[in-house]
Amino acid sequence: KQEVTQIPAALSVPEGENLVLNCSFTDSAIYNLQWFRQDPGKGLTSLLLIQSSQREQTSGRLNASLDKSSGRSTLYIAASQPGDSATYLCAAIAGGTSYGKLTFGQGTILTVHP
Amino acid sequence: GAVVSQHPSRVICKSGTSVKIECRSLDFQATTMFWYRQFPKKSLMLMATSNEGSKATYEQGVEKDKFLINHASLTLSTLTVTSAHPEDSSFYICSAREPEVGAPDNEQFFGPGTRLTVL
């Protein structure tokens, strides 16, 4: 059974800092890995999806890496802004008989203060 | 990008009543939709996978008679919480998978969620 863990559970930083969010998964036979953002009381916004054949994806100030062999992914946020404050979730996407099933971590609550 | 809507966004009901939540893919046809549940300050847990024209596949521990799922068309799936009780209060989120043509394989698009409160 896939288990996804995110560290840290919460993070508070001053505006402008670069930061790293960590995600680890127990079953390395994933299909893809995806990072999401969730604002309080809202649904999910997809940030980056890393396909199994890729090692990283970039979008603006965000960069996500994937190391399947070690069961790890990181989300790097450059020059953080107060608007980045939200909960960040990673999800491991299964292949094989469980094709498409997402297993989520518990999230990292990020607060960026001015 | 693909858009998924949910209705209602928020519902309050009395214990014992049934509540229906709709999930629609607005600009694409989704053969597969997923229903998740999220407790406060917890992560999302997959409840069931909904396939158009066939019975839903439920995750272990999810009561299929309690949470009825109907995927009657390629753009609509419904989740009905039957005889709701306070412990069913939660945030319910659906997602839909767009056909792979022109989209990253396996990508799901999420609805905005429905907050259910059972009194």
Side-chain angles (χ1 to χ4, degrees):
Chain A
K1 178 185 174 184
Q2 179 72 273
E3 292 183 4
V4 180
T5 304
Q6 290 187 245
I7 296 174
L11 184 62
S12 179
V13 299
E15 181 177 7
E17 274 204 6
N18 302 324
L19 52 99
V20 175
L21 308 182
N22 297 290
C23 172
S24 62
F25 43 95
T26 55
D27 185 353
S28 61
I30 63 170
Y31 199 74
N32 297 328
L33 187 129
Q34 195 163 2
W35 283 91
F36 296 87
R37 167 184 174 141
Q38 185 176 31
D39 292 291
K42 304 293 184 181
L44 303 183
T45 300
S46 177
L47 298 174
L48 292 164
L49 183 148
I50 310 174
Q51 300 185 56
S52 57
S53 59
Q54 299 172 325
R55 293 188 67 85
E56 67 176 337
Q57 278 282 345
T58 298
S59 176
R61 294 182 293 108
L62 305 179
N63 176 278
S65 66
L66 173 64
D67 184 342
K68 284 181 61 176
S69 60
S70 66
R72 294 182 181 182
S73 177
T74 61
L75 178 67
Y76 176 83
I77 303 177
S80 58
Q81 302 171 357
D84 295 330
S85 299
T87 297
Y88 290 81
L89 296 163
C90 72
I93 304 173
T97 56
S98 299
Y99 179 79
K101 177 180 177 179
L102 271 68
T103 302
F104 285 87
Q106 291 196 303
T108 294
I109 301 172
L110 174 64
T111 303
V112 181
H113 47 88
Chain B
V3 179
V4 176
S5 70
Q6 278 184 245
H7 178 81
S9 59
R10 184 182 298 267
V11 57
I12 301 172
C13 69
K14 294 181 179 180
S15 185
T17 60
S18 293
V19 175
K20 180 184 285 188
I21 302 170
E22 293 185 348
C23 176
R24 292 182 184 273
S25 56
L26 297 185
D27 51 2
F28 66 99
Q29 294 183 330
T31 54
T32 305
M33 291 184 173
F34 303 85
W35 287 95
Y36 296 84
R37 180 175 182 176
Q38 186 176 34
F39 291 101
K41 297 185 179 181
K42 297 291 185 182
S43 191
L44 280 77
M45 299 296 295
L46 178 66
M47 298 174 66
T49 302
S50 169
N51 295 296
E52 187 268 337
S54 64
K55 292 183 178 180
T57 302
Y58 290 80
E59 294 298 302
Q60 191 173 10
V62 178
E63 299 176 62
K64 58 182 68 177
D65 295 330
K66 174 77 171 175
F67 299 100
L68 301 179
I69 292 173
N70 187 317
H71 194 156
S73 77
L74 287 171
T75 59
L76 173 64
S77 176
T78 60
L79 168 67
T80 301
V81 183
T82 61
S83 186
H85 292 283
E87 57 266 29
D88 298 324
S89 299
S90 193
F91 193 56
Y92 293 88
I93 304 178
C94 72
S95 70
R97 186 160 66 204
E98 186 174 31
E100 281 78 31
V101 177
D105 195 17
N106 243 331
E107 185 163 11
Q108 294 179 26
F109 297 91
F110 285 78
T114 296
R115 173 75 59 193
L116 171 63
T117 303
V118 185
L119 303 176

